Amino acid sequence: MLVLLPPSEGKAAGGTGKPLEPGALSLPGLAAARAEVLDELVGLCTADAAKAQEVLGLSEGLKGEVAKNAGLRTAGTRPAGEIYTGVLYDALGLASLDKAAQKRAGRALLVFSGLWGAVRIDDRIPSYRCSMGVKLPGLGALGAYWRGPMAEVLPEAAGDGLVLDLRSAAYATAWKPKGEVAGRTATVRVLQSKIVDGVEKRSVVSHFNKATKGRLVRDLLVAGAEPADPAELVEALRGLGYAVEATAPAKAGKPWALDVIVTEL
């Protein structure tokens, strides 16, 4: 099982570990693309702080992120699973998993990134600020930039098992599973159900969406669940107490669509 996650917009402070070693990161097929994005981002943030703040879409309160990016090559690192924070990662609670579940997480979880393309949670990276929606002056929109490198690397990383796609729309632009990989991919939408005047109404609520996805992944890891395809995933989630509605693809080469229905966190 390969689980595709978005990063968090905010990041934990950089670690005290040795600086970035690009060659030590997972998915070495992305190395050249990573180097290009890193060079562009560090160069921009070093040469023109005001322009970098504009390009990165940072408020005045976050302009310190520009200097952080300028120092990425010498900054301390920590595992990516510690760098990413926020609602999804709080619910996932990587640090509190038992050792067996942590090993499963190291194998299964892949976090997408505007800067790195994608990393495993054990990859050591510095704290940074660069979303997939950014358009770097020399490279253009990062979502489009990463499509080529990802298309070369991700099918192999997906192996022959289930791909559970929990990415947000911006990060989904960087890689779209195709062919037989798409057929064993499941995308997940979380819907909050409310009864209003005796009628059920469903809506997408960001906090419910992120928290439920984090909890869902945690429950699968703790249970040691290894669904081989979307149909088995549906059964596994229902066995874990989730209300799931699944729609199989109408034609080959398309992913399954899963709705997880929640009433409260």
Side-chain angles (χ1 to χ4, degrees):
M1 178 173 67
L2 183 68
V3 181
L4 311 181
L5 296 175
S8 56
E9 191 69 16
K11 314 287 190 301
T16 57
K18 57 186 178 182
L20 175 71
E21 295 182 5
L25 297 178
S26 302
L27 307 178
L30 299 178
R34 287 169 176 153
E36 195 168 32
V37 178
L38 183 62
D39 285 347
E40 179 76 10
L41 181 63
V42 171
L44 171 66
C45 292
T46 301
D48 190 337
K51 178 65 174 178
Q53 184 179 345
E54 177 187 349
V55 168
L56 296 173
L58 300 175
S59 66
E60 279 298 302
L62 292 173
K63 64 181 181 181
E65 300 289 278
V66 173
K68 183 167 70 175
N69 282 347
L72 282 172
R73 289 196 176 90
T74 58
T77 60
R78 64 170 67 186
E82 297 178 12
I83 290 288
Y84 297 117
T85 60
V87 175
L88 188 153
Y89 290 90
D90 285 346
L92 176 53
L94 289 167
S96 63
L97 292 173
D98 62 42
K99 288 185 178 181
Q102 286 184 353
K103 287 183 179 180
R104 295 184 197 109
R107 294 192 302 267
L109 305 187
L110 195 64
V111 185
F112 275 59
S113 163
L115 174 54
W116 314 115
V119 292
R120 302 279 187 184
I121 60 168
D122 294 329
D123 285 334
R124 299 192 67 92
I125 58 174
S127 184
Y128 67 97
R129 189 80 173 210
C130 185
S131 72
M132 193 66 80
V134 163
K135 294 181 179 180
L136 290 176
L139 300 178
L142 289 176
Y145 170 85
W146 280 112
R147 285 176 200 154
M150 291 292 195
E152 294 291 327
V153 172
L154 266 293
E156 180 179 354
D160 57 4
L162 169 73
V163 178
L164 175 54
D165 190 352
L166 303 178
R167 296 173 296 168
S168 54
Y171 289 88
T173 63
W175 182 58
K176 183 178 181 180
K178 296 181 178 180
E180 64 88 20
V181 178
R184 48 188 166 85
T185 296
T187 62
V188 173
R189 180 175 62 166
V190 179
L191 299 177
Q192 182 188 13
S193 173
K194 288 184 177 181
I195 303 299
V196 180
D197 296 329
V199 178
E200 183 191 28
K201 295 186 180 295
R202 295 178 176 181
S203 60
V204 177
V205 181
S206 178
H207 189 78
F208 275 79
N209 178 59
K210 293 175 182 178
T212 301
K213 286 179 176 178
R215 189 170 66 248
L216 178 153
V217 174
R218 180 184 179 88
D219 288 346
L220 288 170
L221 294 171
V222 170
E226 292 287 351
D229 55 41
E232 289 189 12
L233 172 64
V234 171
E235 294 306 310
L237 291 175
R238 287 174 177 167
L240 291 168
Y242 290 90
V244 181
E245 296 177 359
T247 303
K251 58 181 180 179
K254 298 292 183 181
W256 284 56
L258 273 56
D259 284 343
V260 177
I261 314 302
V262 299
T263 56
E264 59 185 17
L265 285 176

